[in-house]
Amino acid sequence: MKVLVTGGAGFIGSTTCSALEDGGHTPVILDSLVSGPAAFTSGRIFYQGDMADAALLRRIFDEHPDIEATLHFAARIVVSESVARPGLYYRENVVGSLALFETLLALGQRRVIFSSSASIYESPADLRVNERSPLRPLSPYARSKRMTEEMLEDLCTASQATQTPMRAIALRYFNPVGADPALRSGPYVPDPTHILGRLMAVAQGRAEHFEITGTDYATRDGTGLRDYIHVWDLALAHVAALEGFDSAFARSASDGNPEVSFLPINVGTGNGVTVRELVTAFQQVSPTPITVRDGARRAGDSAGACADTGRAQSYLGWAAQLSAAQAMEAAFAWEAVRDQKLSDADSSGRTR
Ligand SMILES: NC(=O)c1ccc[n+]([C@@H]2O[C@H](COP(=O)([O-])OP(=O)(O)OC[C@H]3O[C@@H](n4cnc5c(N)ncnc54)[C@H](O)[C@@H]3O)[C@@H](O)[C@H]2O)c1
């Protein structure tokens, strides 16, 4: 299948492009390169531009009339930046996505897979969330993800009365870590703000110590609990959502779910790992020792949650296969080749 991939030069989008290609599909990337590197588009069909550019989208669909679905990854993703510059996040993530969806509707496109986030959930007492659990996005970034979901649901619902009804699956990612095991792409920012990035910075001597932010949460060891998903498993979840798109809605309907045109699905492992447990596992694979200090909670953080993955298993036939330890091994392997891979921008890439 040929698919439009917005944000296909990014960390998760590029990994998903590799999984799509492995599965015999053809990604057509639209990315502004505001953060993703050109190197990850190398050898792929690539249009540089903004997802809100309707004229560019029309050209892409004119040149690729056989595109059957859109995987929408493009977004600004840094939580702290979203707190400092909320307008940027609402304009880019929400207004930009609205423009994209309206163009897709005008073009008669019927399938959208949207990158949502588990950060929209409230952290519950039992630390496990399903797709009907209460929501409480705590940052402008998380709110931009939830707003985009709501907007997409309304647009899909209204389109059911038209000649070209559109449906959408929102994949609510938990905590992606690791890299493509074949090392085609991976985290490209030298010091990403997520936990593995911060641990890696200490392991490589770019930071002096790792601070555990919060040790008094109601978890088994007091540190925050997360559901770390290997980015390759996450990429394969997109392939499963694409290939099983129509049947997911059929299964949801036969379950009596009211969601006829918009289906949120958690993508996690279902296993919660505490920050302290992850740090211990990291210390076991790190070639250099890590200094760890306990620190205070960060504003806006919660005890966390892990995924109830029942829907992903029953509607998509997908379940995570890889462990957090395998994600860390892939992350180390990627670090060793990252600079060389990023400078490998192949001028033969079909950039438009
Ligand atoms: N990384 C995570 O931990 C995480 C967790 C949950 C959800 N997500 C979601 O997954 C998606 C991908 O995240 P990622 O980690 O790969 O981020 P990323 O920053 O690596 O990728 C995003 C890509 O979108 C592109 N982009 C941004 N704005 C654009 C625009 N207006 N038009 C065209 N391209 C644009 C960027 O250049 C970048 O290549 C995002 O939607 C993010 O919200 C990520």
Side-chain angles (χ1 to χ4, degrees), residues 6-14 30-37 40 47-52 72-78 92-93 96 114-119 141 144-145 171-177 186 188-189 194 231 234 238:
T6 76
F11 168 47
I12 303 168
S14 63
L30 168 61
D31 198 301
S32 63
L33 302 185
V34 67
S35 43
F40 290 171
Y47 293 80
Q48 183 171 357
D50 197 285
M51 60 170 150
H72 176 33
F73 296 92
R76 302 281 185 145
I77 68 151
V78 182
E92 294 274 321
N93 292 1
F114 170 58
S115 302
S116 189
S117 168
S119 64
Y141 164 74
S144 79
K145 290 277 130 182
L171 296 179
R172 291 180 177 162
Y173 310 167
F174 279 67
N175 297 80
V177 286
Y188 54 86
V189 182
H194 62 65
V231 70
L234 178 56
H238 289 82

Side-chain angles (χ1 to χ4, degrees), residues 244 246-257 263 312-317:
D246 297 337
S247 59
F249 282 95
R251 287 190 189 132
S252 168
S254 68
D255 266 5
N257 282 332
L263 196 53
Q313 290 184 36
S314 61
Y315 295 177
L316 301 179

Side-chain angles (χ1 to χ4, degrees), residues 68 104 108-112 163-168 245:
E68 293 181 58
L104 294 177
Q109 285 294 304
R110 290 166 184 265
R111 297 185 192 92
V112 173
Q163 296 287 315
T164 50
M166 186 164 90
R167 293 188 297 190
F245 192 94

Side-chain angles (χ1 to χ4, degrees), residues 101 112-114 116 120 131-132 135 145-157 160 166-172 245 249 252 257-265 311:
F101 298 150
V112 173
I113 297 172
F114 170 58
S116 189
I120 66 174
E131 291 79 356
R132 297 199 189 291
L135 303 177
K145 290 277 130 182
R146 177 56 189 152
M147 286 178 194
T148 304
E149 278 196 354
E150 291 182 301
M151 203 168 65
L152 183 54
E153 178 167 15
D154 288 343
L155 292 169
C156 287
T157 301
Q160 299 312 301
M166 186 164 90
R167 293 188 297 190
I169 293 177
L171 296 179
R172 291 180 177 162
F245 192 94
F249 282 95
S252 168
N257 282 332
E259 289 123 335
V260 292
S261 58
F262 176 82
L263 196 53
I265 301 182
R311 245 188 207 192

Side-chain angles (χ1 to χ4, degrees), residues 11 14-15 18-19 22 44 177-187 230-232 330-331 333-334:
F11 168 47
S14 63
T15 311
S18 299
D22 290 358
R44 294 178 170 149
V177 286
D180 171 11
L183 306 183
R184 287 164 286 190
S185 63
H230 196 305
V231 70
W232 186 247
W334 167 253

